[in-house]
Amino acid sequence: MFDFAQVIDFLPQLGKGLYYTLLISVIGLLIGFILGAIFGLGRISKNKFFFVISSIYVEVIRGTPVLVQAIWIFFALPIITQYNMDSVPAGIVVIAINSGAYIAEIVRGSVDSIDKGQMEAGRSLGLNKHQTMRYIIWPQAFKRMIPPLGNQFIISIKDTSLLSVILVPELMFQGRYIASNHFNAVEIYTTVALFYLVINFSLSLLLRYIERRLNY
Amino acid sequence: MITVQDLHKKFGDNQVLKGINCEVKEKEVVCVIGPSGSGKSTFLRCLNLLEDITSGDVIVDGYNLRDRATDINMIRTEVGMVFQQFNLFPHKTVIQNVMLAPRKVRKISAEEARKRGEALLVKVGLAEKADQYPAQLSGGQQQRVAIARALAMEPKLMLFDEPTSALDPELVGEVLEVMKQLAKEGMTMVVVTHEMGFAREVADRVLFMDEGIIMEENTPDVIFTNPASERTKNFLNKVL
Ligand SMILES: Nc1ncnc2c1ncn2[C@@H]1O[C@H](COP(=O)(O)OP(=O)(O)OP(=O)(O)O)[C@@H](O)[C@H]1O
Ligand SMILES: [Mg+2]
């Protein structure tokens, strides 16, 4: 009935999809992490302007679906800017901006959760604010960020499958293409699902390992 | 070493310090006592600007803290502080806790900082704990590390905010012992405490604070045996 052996023939094409899925996830999340760190600090900043900008960013992204964000960036933004973006860079932008907002909240929450006595102890020793953040607050906050960050990474990797609607040749896009041409939906979509599962499960294990290494 | 003139502090509409005047001389040990909520911690924290000052002047080591030209980070290197909750850095070992500020603020070498740090740990009786993490120590040990950490900056003055209040009774003694030793060596100290025995034995002067002012100040002998104010008398009756 189902012929899973034939999947082997499509592995090169699925592999290409996997490549784009990983590429967009890694670069997108890297940029997302930087955005998250910046705007997360914005959310705890005493600078009004920085705080307001960061809050608007976070609320707009959290309040809209990632699918809408992707379509808006790929189809609407070029009309406004008169500049066409290729689908892969657009996909990276979507993942970066989307994950950045959630990571900003993770950063804010983790930094906020560090006892305020830590800042006071650092400052009372003569460390300036920047040094106290760098040597005392960040390392502790970072450890607390790992579980929610891991969660966000997994969510974002799964979100890349939505990028097939803006023609990013990622895993889901390839799967749909193959399945509609060869009428093997069960075999191909099962394989696609397994690919995502393997990526995310490996990531889970890696994060658990890192967390254990950071134990003190 | 410290001069405080008409110090006021408000939190919003809550007037917590209502005109504090006092003076702490070099090598003097001053204990601050008084009921909960009277502003003792707030007063102490104004001395190194952990709280900003609403009005009045605080002059530490010749620098007016409210003067814009005063480098507050520099002042804080001269003023050690020990907290009720220790506030050790949990992600750093004992020796790293002690070495951090000398390395990053005083910019001394790692070896030099380690050498000094180890000497300080010997002094507080914790040489063998250098490579452990704070969570592995008892409260009394943690507070002694916190004292060593503050001393590592070679401050001219030490502030203590109820350093033994968070400790189990059997651990109080070891911390007070270290503080007595410091006092004997001539460290200038301001100590907020509920340990009346310590105040009596070690203090040169005791300040009794109530409702945001210094109600009474005198030698421990006078304060504890023959206080002038009725408030002081009542307070001591309750705690002694
Ligand atoms: N950060 C703050 N914000 C608002 N109010 C504060 C703050 N810190 C202290 N207060 C208020 O200031 C008053 C004095 O507090 P403070 O901690 O100085 O008292 P204390 O004498 O140290 O008391 P205790 O013996 O309980 O430590 C209290 O009414 C307290 O609620
Ligand atoms: Mg207090």
Side-chain angles (χ1 to χ4, degrees):
Chain A
M1 236 202 33
F2 300 132
D3 175 18
F4 276 92
Q6 58 153 319
V7 168
I8 291 175
D9 296 338
F10 300 107
L11 280 184
Q13 203 178 338
L14 290 175
K16 193 175 145 215
L18 181 65
Y19 165 76
Y20 281 110
T21 294
L22 291 176
L23 180 80
I24 289 171
S25 300
V26 169
I27 300 179
L29 284 169
L30 220 65
I31 301 171
F33 184 75
I34 295 166
L35 290 176
I38 293 170
F39 290 106
L41 290 180
R43 297 269 277 170
I44 44 180
S45 170
K46 288 209 180 82
N47 181 323
K48 265 251 167 61
F49 178 74
F50 193 21
F51 172 80
V52 169
I53 290 291
S54 306
S55 301
I56 291 174
Y57 166 59
V58 168
E59 295 306 341
V60 166
I61 297 302
R62 282 203 308 186
T64 53
V66 60
L67 186 58
V68 174
Q69 292 162 14
I71 289 174
W72 195 86
I73 285 174
F74 190 66
F75 293 110
L77 188 62
I79 297 171
I80 299 170
T81 59
Q82 293 294 313
Y83 174 79
N84 275 317
M85 227 190 313
D86 285 341
S87 60
V88 171
I92 291 172
V93 168
V94 171
I95 295 301
I97 290 181
N98 181 269
S99 66
Y102 290 96
I103 293 172
E105 282 302 273
I106 293 170
V107 168
R108 181 186 66 81
S110 309
V111 171
D112 259 355
S113 76
I114 304 299
D115 187 273
K116 77 180 197 340
Q118 292 290 305
M119 177 58 86
E120 293 186 346
R123 299 307 303 275
S124 77
L125 287 164
L127 297 161
N128 61 34
K129 193 166 176 187
H130 171 76
Q131 289 172 317
T132 311
M133 282 305 283
R134 170 159 168 208
Y135 298 114
I136 297 167
I137 310 297
W138 264 111
Q140 294 182 61
F142 189 72
K143 184 177 181 232
R144 293 190 192 180
M145 280 176 218
I146 291 173
L149 269 183
N151 227 2
Q152 183 56 44
F153 285 4
I154 287 170
I155 290 171
S156 289
I157 289 170
K158 292 191 291 188
D159 282 349
T160 60
S161 66
L162 295 167
L163 299 175
S164 57
V165 301
I166 61 166
L167 312 178
V168 176
E170 44 71 57
L171 193 50
M172 187 59 197
F173 180 91
Q174 304 290 357
R176 266 166 60 178
Y177 184 83
I178 298 166
S180 59
N181 283 313
H182 299 272
F183 309 105
N184 50 0
V186 172
E187 293 86 345
I188 288 299
Y189 288 138
T190 306
T191 308
V192 165
L194 276 174
F195 274 39
Y196 283 111
L197 184 63
V198 169
I199 300 172
N200 287 326
F201 188 63
S202 317
L203 181 61
S204 278
L205 292 180
L206 176 70
L207 286 160
R208 220 171 294 166
Y209 172 76
I210 293 173
E211 201 182 351
R212 225 171 324 118
R213 281 285 306 271
L214 279 176
N215 246 336
Y216 47 77
Chain B
M1 176 108 315
I2 308 177
T3 307
V4 179
Q5 283 162 349
D6 200 28
L7 169 63
H8 285 75
K9 169 68 187 174
K10 275 193 213 168
F11 290 107
D13 288 339
N14 184 8
Q15 180 91 35
V16 174
L17 300 180
K18 302 170 185 165
I20 305 258
N21 293 285
C22 81
E23 182 112 17
V24 179
K25 293 191 201 61
E26 212 173 315
K27 303 201 173 195
E28 209 177 12
V29 176
V30 173
C31 283
V32 182
I33 62 172
S36 184
S38 57
K40 306 181 297 295
S41 298
T42 306
F43 166 56
L44 202 68
R45 291 157 59 82
C46 284
L47 299 181
N48 67 351
L49 280 200
L50 279 186
E51 301 292 353
D52 54 1
I53 294 166
T54 307
S55 69
D57 286 302
V58 176
I59 296 149
V60 175
D61 196 25
Y63 295 92
N64 190 330
L65 300 192
R66 298 198 66 207
D67 193 335
R68 276 169 172 274
T70 301
D71 175 0
I72 186 59
N73 290 321
M74 191 275 289
I75 299 287
R76 284 176 177 149
T77 65
E78 309 292 342
V79 181
M81 187 163 211
V82 174
F83 301 87
Q84 184 174 352
Q85 300 298 340
F86 329 136
N87 295 343
L88 291 179
F89 308 133
H91 61 303
K92 296 194 171 290
T93 62
V94 165
I95 189 76
Q96 287 169 344
N97 264 272
V98 177
M99 287 167 60
L100 179 73
R103 291 271 290 122
K104 302 301 176 191
V105 180
R106 297 253 195 253
K107 314 271 188 211
I108 67 175
S109 71
E111 299 126 75
E112 177 65 24
R114 179 170 288 272
K115 218 167 61 193
R116 261 202 234 167
E118 280 167 353
L120 284 167
L121 290 178
V122 169
K123 181 175 176 147
V124 299
L126 291 170
E128 77 284 5
K129 302 287 186 193
D131 295 315
Q132 304 210 343
Y133 284 94
Q136 297 169 290
L137 306 186
S138 74
Q141 290 170 335
Q142 290 190 47
Q143 193 60 299
R144 286 186 281 151
V145 173
I147 294 173
R149 178 177 71 178
L151 291 175
M153 292 301 283
E154 303 185 321
K156 294 181 175 162
L157 159 73
M158 288 280 285
L159 309 175
F160 295 82
D161 191 0
E162 300 195 34
T164 59
S165 294
L167 298 177
D168 291 338
E170 72 271 21
L171 301 177
V172 169
E174 62 193 54
V175 172
L176 293 182
E177 220 32 68
V178 169
M179 292 169 63
K180 276 182 208 169
Q181 186 60 37
L182 263 184
K184 222 181 281 169
E185 290 167 11
M187 176 61 80
T188 311
M189 295 163 63
V190 181
V191 186
V192 174
T193 186
H194 289 301
E195 294 293 329
M196 298 304 157
F198 175 83
R200 207 163 181 157
E201 185 184 337
V202 182
D204 297 306
R205 219 148 28 97
V206 174
L207 311 184
F208 172 69
M209 272 188 76
D210 197 12
E211 295 186 351
I213 56 165
I214 296 176
M215 271 305 229
E216 182 167 0
E217 71 171 280
N218 218 318
T219 61
D221 269 352
V222 175
I223 291 268
F224 288 112
T225 54
N226 192 16
S229 108
E230 209 48 46
R231 293 255 198 185
T232 316
K233 237 176 259 175
N234 283 339
F235 172 74
L236 289 172
N237 277 339
K238 264 185 245 157
V239 297
L240 285 180

